[in-house]
């Protein structure tokens, strides 16, 4: 058992779990169960990031998605739906067309991926978190500031929209 | 002298040495991968036993201390001075029936306890009991703590919604709003410490305090961290979500028996982890204050206690502050609670961050 | 041996599931959740590229560019979720419904 086979085992467990969780988000009849499946999905993605040596992104993923975004979803569900109803997450009339479109997209993507070969030999530097910080505040400072302003605008906008006048 | 050094080395590294000894023994007659699995199981069992004992001690001390503050006696009948009271409590809770309400969502209701307990246990992976006694010295240690502790909000909401009870749901929504609001000043207060240490790893943060504990350099950050952490733990004076007088007991009103015990376990584990993190970040972790002060004057003083003993001492003292707050302060109102987070703690944390960065910049300009 | 291809295929599968949900669900919150699935699928590819592709001469920022992009996507997704859920609350207040088909104010 070397490091590669551990990575392979972890990858397959996470991959199967993620596909099942994503399917559960789409297929479960109660919307709150879908939201909880989404939590599981986000958590497994964080595990995948750890496999990809992106520990910082993994931590951010858990903080933002599990800690904030899903809580927003759960709040929205509890504030709007009669969430105890057994059929709170129904499909609409165009589900057949949607299935055809997404299967077609999947086929196209897989066919493209099958033809493509990628160069190998990439390495993640040991001090990736430090380098990431230097990149964010160095060459990418302008997008970083724009993202900050976007978040501020989104926060103010969300408060203004959601507020009862 | 050599024998003395060997003994003191054994005492300060007792767990790693025992682990290596056991692993060496097992390696004699087991294949390598099986040894790894057995060793993981042994480590997890040791850790779980440790966690249980810590939580039991915390509940007992809490009841005795609060009783002392309120001029009562507290539990003192089971065993000498009541030390066996937690054992009796656990037996009682395990013997109770595990009731699932008829209208509850059974899966969400059952899973909620798991979602509460697992993160509480996971936090302990990054807590450095001593230089060599840390389960995983992650490069993002402190951030890992923030990430994992934010998962418990989902558990709260699951418990509140799964019970199908309006008091439970109200308590869970209060708790979620509170925990998310206080997460922000908590993270900002941590950044100041991380900037001083130049690292997010908990071991590096402790090692950066060999000369001076960060409580001296970051008193405001400590205040913000501890207040925000108390609120995140939902302890008095911020225990609005389980306010007995208004919403009976909040999100765990429907829970009984083992599941109720698990909620308690998670709560105390989180509390102890926060105290341990505060020790790590502000009070020099496992470092001996005797040795540190000796170094200022150039004396070579002995550390007096093994590193993990210092760590536990400091952590229990910090946890005592939580008891003290509970015995002293009345519960705050919801508007006061939100006002404190957004109007006091967040500006304080931001100002502290700005001052810290200016100070660090000046320090670098002067010293280079 | 796990290669870049494995991650890309996984991401493609998740993206398709998300697309199906975003097109076929009636509840607005469910549609939003499926959009989050798609965001995360894209993030997987970016972080996987950052892990497996070698640094090339054309990219002066080193191998971590993919991780930087992933961080920006997370920030944008968080902003999007906050605004979208606020809009859902506002719509629910006037129409008493969270069904996509009931929000037809602009239909002639």
């Amino acid at each position: 058992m070397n490091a590669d086979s551990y990575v392979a085992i972890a990858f397959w467990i996470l991959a199967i779990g993620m596909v099942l969780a994503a399917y559960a988000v789409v297929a479960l009849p109660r919307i709150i169960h879908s939201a909880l499946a989404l939590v599981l999905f986000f958590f497994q993605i964080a595990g995948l990031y750890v496999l990809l040596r992106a520990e910082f992104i993994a931590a951010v993923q858990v903080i933002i998605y599990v800690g904030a975004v899903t809580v927003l979803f759960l709040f929205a569900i509890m504030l709007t739906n009669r969430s105890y109803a057994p059929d709170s997450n129904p499909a609409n009339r165009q589900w057949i067309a949607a299935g055809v479109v997404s299967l077609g997209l999947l086929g196209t993507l897989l066919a493209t991926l099958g033809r493509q070969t990628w160069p190998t030999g990439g390495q993640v530097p040991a001090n990736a978190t430090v380098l990431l910080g230097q990149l964010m505040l160095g060459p990418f400072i302008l997008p970083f500031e724009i993202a900050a302003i976007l978040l501020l605008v989104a926060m103010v906008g969300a408060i203004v929209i959601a507020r009862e006048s | 002298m050599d024998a003395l050094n060997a003994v003191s080395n054994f005492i300060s590294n007792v767990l790693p040495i025992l682990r290596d000894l056991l692993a060496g023994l097992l390696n004699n007659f087991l294949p390598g991968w099986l040894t790894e699995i057995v060793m993981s199981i042994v480590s997890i069992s040791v850790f779980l036993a440790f966690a249980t004992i810590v939580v039991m001690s915390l509940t007992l001390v809490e009841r005795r201390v609060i009783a002392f503050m309120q001029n009562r006696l507290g539990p003192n009948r089971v065993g000498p001075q009541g030390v066996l009271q937690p054992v009796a409590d656990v037996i009682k809770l395990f013997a109770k029936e595990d009731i699932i309400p008829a209208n509850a969502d059974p899966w969400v209701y059952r899973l909620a306890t798991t979602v509460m307990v697992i993160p509480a246990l996971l936090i302990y992976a990054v807590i450095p009991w001593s230089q060599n006694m840390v389960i995983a010295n992650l490069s993002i240690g402190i951030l890992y703590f923030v990430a994992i502790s934010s998962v418990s909000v989902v558990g709260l909401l699951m418990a509140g919604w799964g019970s199908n009870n309006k008091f439970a749901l109200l308590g869970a929504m209060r708790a979620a709003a509170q925990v998310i609001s206080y997460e922000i000043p908590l993270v900002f207060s941590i950044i100041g410490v991380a900037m001083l240490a130049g690292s997010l790893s908990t071991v590096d943060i402790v090692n950066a305090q060999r000369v001076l504990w960060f409580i001296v350099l970051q008193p405001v950050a400590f205040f913000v961290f501890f207040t925000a952490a108390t609120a995140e733990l939902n302890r008095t004076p911020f225990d609005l979500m389980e306010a007995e007088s208004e919403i009976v007991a909040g999100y765990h009103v429907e829970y009984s028996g083992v599941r109720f015990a698990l909620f308690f376990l998670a709560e105390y584990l989180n509390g102890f982890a926060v105290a341990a993190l505060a020790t790590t970040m502000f009070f020099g972790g496992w470092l001996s204050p005797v040795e540190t002060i000796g170094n200022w004057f150039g004396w070579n003083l002995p550390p007096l206690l093994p590193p993990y003993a210092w760590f536990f001492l400091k952590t229990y003292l910090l946890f005592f502050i939580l008891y003290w707050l509970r015995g002293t302060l009345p519960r705050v109102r919801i508007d006061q609670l939100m006002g404190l987070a957004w109007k006091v703690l967040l500006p304080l944390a931001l100002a502290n961050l700005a001052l810290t960065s200016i100070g660090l910049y000046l320090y670098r300009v002067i010293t280079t | 041996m796990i290669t870049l291809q494995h991650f890309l295929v996984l991401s493609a599968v998740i993206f398709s599931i998300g697309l199906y949900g975003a097109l076929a669900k009636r509840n607005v919150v469910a549609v939003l959740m499926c959009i989050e699935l798609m965001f995360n699928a894209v993030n997987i590819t970016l972080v996987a590229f950052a892990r497996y592709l070698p640094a090339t001469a054309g990219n002066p920022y080193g191998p971590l560019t993919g991780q930087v992009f992933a961080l920006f996507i997370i920030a944008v997704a968080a902003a999007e979720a906050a605004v979208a859920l606020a809009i859902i609350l506002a719509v629910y207040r006037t129409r008493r419904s969270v069904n996509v088909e009931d929000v037809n104010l602009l239909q002639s």
Side-chain angles (χ1 to χ4, degrees):
Chain A
M1 297 279 279
N2 55 356
D4 269 347
S5 44
Y6 282 126
V7 169
I9 293 172
F11 174 82
W12 286 113
I13 292 175
L14 286 173
I16 294 168
M18 277 165 69
V19 172
L20 287 180
Y23 180 71
V25 171
V26 176
L28 284 179
R30 280 193 183 188
I31 182 107
I32 208 117
H33 291 174
S34 298
L36 294 175
L38 194 68
V39 176
L40 184 65
F41 173 80
F42 287 151
F43 215 76
Q44 285 167 318
I45 283 223
L48 209 64
Y49 290 158
V50 173
L51 272 191
L52 289 166
R53 313 258 172 86
E55 292 92 356
F56 183 76
I57 312 266
V60 170
Q61 169 85 16
V62 176
I63 295 173
I64 305 285
Y65 277 113
V66 180
V69 171
T70 34
V71 175
L72 271 181
F73 279 128
L74 289 171
F75 259 85
I77 292 166
M78 290 172 184
L79 287 175
T80 54
N81 285 44
R82 297 195 344 277
S83 51
Y84 293 99
D87 57 341
S88 48
N89 190 13
N92 60 18
R93 287 188 299 271
Q94 54 192 9
W95 66 272
I96 298 175
V100 171
V101 168
S102 44
L103 275 181
L105 178 79
L106 181 63
T108 321
L109 283 176
L110 291 184
T112 326
L113 285 177
R115 288 153 178 257
Q116 179 76 28
T117 53
W118 300 98
T120 53
Q123 280 298 324
V124 174
N127 56 345
T129 311
V130 177
L131 287 178
L132 196 60
Q134 285 167 352
L135 273 183
M136 295 286 280
L137 293 178
F140 290 95
I141 183 72
L142 187 62
F144 183 78
E145 296 290 341
I146 294 174
I149 293 174
L150 175 76
L151 283 172
L152 180 69
V153 171
M155 189 173 79
V156 175
I159 293 171
V160 170
I161 294 171
R163 185 181 181 145
E164 291 186 70
S165 48
Chain B
M1 203 58 205
D2 277 349
L4 198 67
N5 274 339
V7 169
S8 84
N9 183 38
F10 176 75
I11 290 176
S12 30
N13 288 313
V14 55
L15 279 184
I17 288 173
L18 284 181
R19 182 194 61 202
D20 293 346
L21 213 65
L22 185 61
L25 268 178
L26 286 176
N27 255 334
N28 289 335
F29 52 89
L30 287 181
W33 58 273
L34 200 57
T35 316
E36 274 177 45
I37 293 176
V38 171
M39 284 313 293
S40 328
I41 293 173
V42 169
S43 318
I44 292 170
S45 317
V46 168
F47 169 66
L48 285 181
F50 154 82
T52 320
I53 291 171
V54 163
V55 169
M56 284 160 85
S57 74
L58 288 176
T59 54
L60 176 71
V61 176
E62 166 147 26
R63 293 173 71 180
R64 296 290 307 213
V65 168
I66 295 290
F68 172 73
M69 287 176 181
Q70 295 168 345
N71 245 332
R72 296 183 284 119
L73 279 176
N76 64 350
R77 303 307 287 266
V78 193
Q81 288 298 310
V83 285
L84 293 177
Q85 182 66 39
V87 182
D89 288 343
V90 169
I91 292 173
K92 183 196 79 173
L93 284 169
F94 272 74
K96 276 191 169 179
E97 188 190 353
D98 176 26
I99 300 169
I100 298 180
N103 285 330
D105 187 319
W107 278 101
V108 177
Y109 182 84
R110 286 201 199 102
L111 271 177
T113 41
T114 318
V115 177
M116 290 291 283
V117 173
I118 300 278
L121 290 169
L122 282 177
I123 293 177
Y124 284 82
V126 292
I127 290 176
W129 309 103
S130 81
Q131 176 84 43
N132 304 319
M133 276 166 64
V134 49
I135 298 175
N137 181 11
L138 300 178
S139 62
I140 52 157
I142 292 288
L143 209 57
Y144 171 87
F145 157 72
V146 177
I148 294 297
S149 62
S150 67
V151 176
S152 58
V153 189
V154 179
L156 288 175
L157 284 172
M158 283 170 77
W161 185 84
S163 309
N164 203 346
N165 171 317
K166 59 175 172 288
F167 293 122
L169 190 59
L170 271 178
M173 290 183 102
R174 274 190 189 185
Q178 173 178 341
V179 170
I180 289 185
S181 307
Y182 276 90
E183 193 123 293
I184 299 160
L186 186 87
V187 176
F188 274 116
S189 68
I190 287 173
I191 295 176
V193 172
M195 273 163 64
L196 284 184
S199 168
L200 288 169
S201 146
T202 43
V203 175
D204 289 355
I205 287 176
V206 174
N207 277 326
Q209 301 176 60
R210 288 202 177 274
V211 182
L212 197 60
W213 291 357
F214 284 159
I215 179 73
V216 184
L217 297 171
Q218 297 274 314
V220 180
F222 174 68
F223 170 73
V224 173
F225 177 84
F226 208 75
T227 317
T230 316
E232 274 217 53
L233 296 169
N234 298 311
R235 283 194 61 97
T236 336
F238 304 113
D239 63 340
L240 281 118
M241 46 166 266
E242 45 193 69
E244 301 89 343
S245 44
E246 312 157 31
I247 50 172
V248 280
Y251 63 94
H252 50 50
V253 59
E254 296 284 4
Y255 284 84
S256 66
V258 183
R259 292 182 198 282
F260 183 74
L262 283 176
F263 275 115
F264 249 76
L265 182 78
E267 208 174 308
Y268 279 93
L269 278 178
N270 277 327
F272 195 73
V274 161
L277 254 299
T279 306
T280 307
M281 289 193 299
F282 298 102
F283 291 94
W286 69 79
L287 298 174
S288 152
V290 182
E291 219 177 2
T292 310
I293 293 175
N295 283 343
W296 293 349
F297 302 105
W299 306 328
N300 203 1
L301 293 180
L304 283 185
L305 288 175
Y308 51 84
W310 278 116
F311 194 94
F312 274 102
L313 192 66
K314 294 172 187 173
T315 308
Y316 271 100
L317 280 178
L318 276 176
F319 207 90
F320 175 77
I321 298 183
L322 288 178
Y323 300 149
W324 200 359
L325 287 175
R326 183 179 159 191
T328 313
L329 295 174
R331 183 179 300 137
V332 298
R333 285 197 319 263
I334 187 91
D335 57 322
Q336 292 167 334
L337 179 90
M338 289 296 159
L340 181 67
W342 294 101
K343 292 184 203 153
V344 180
L345 292 184
L346 188 58
L348 263 182
L350 283 173
N352 176 60
L353 198 60
L355 278 181
T356 310
S357 29
I358 294 172
L360 260 182
Y361 179 75
L362 289 180
Y363 176 76
R364 275 190 201 150
V365 169
I366 292 168
T367 48
T368 52
Chain C
M1 186 68 189
I2 299 298
T3 59
L4 178 57
Q5 207 81 326
H6 287 83
F7 287 94
L8 296 183
V9 170
L10 173 66
S11 157
V13 172
I14 290 168
F15 192 91
S16 307
I17 295 176
L19 179 68
Y20 170 77
L23 291 176
K25 285 280 132 178
R26 194 179 283 178
N27 191 324
V28 192
V29 184
V31 173
L32 260 182
M33 293 199 293
C34 294
I35 292 175
E36 294 293 337
L37 283 185
M38 288 152 80
F39 269 125
N40 278 279
V42 174
N43 263 353
I44 296 175
T45 61
L46 286 172
V47 179
F49 281 139
R51 162 76 179 81
Y52 284 103
L53 288 191
T56 51
N59 175 9
Y61 307 121
L64 289 174
T65 325
Q67 293 195 19
V68 175
F69 285 1
L71 275 181
F72 284 132
I73 289 187
I74 290 176
V76 173
E80 173 250 19
V83 175
L85 291 171
I87 293 175
I88 290 174
L89 280 187
V91 169
Y92 180 74
R93 212 170 280 137
T94 53
R95 313 229 101 190
R96 287 283 137 197
S97 160
V98 285
N99 277 3
V100 201
E101 288 146 2
D102 293 343
V103 187
N104 52 5
L105 213 63
L106 291 181
Q107 235 168 37
S108 58

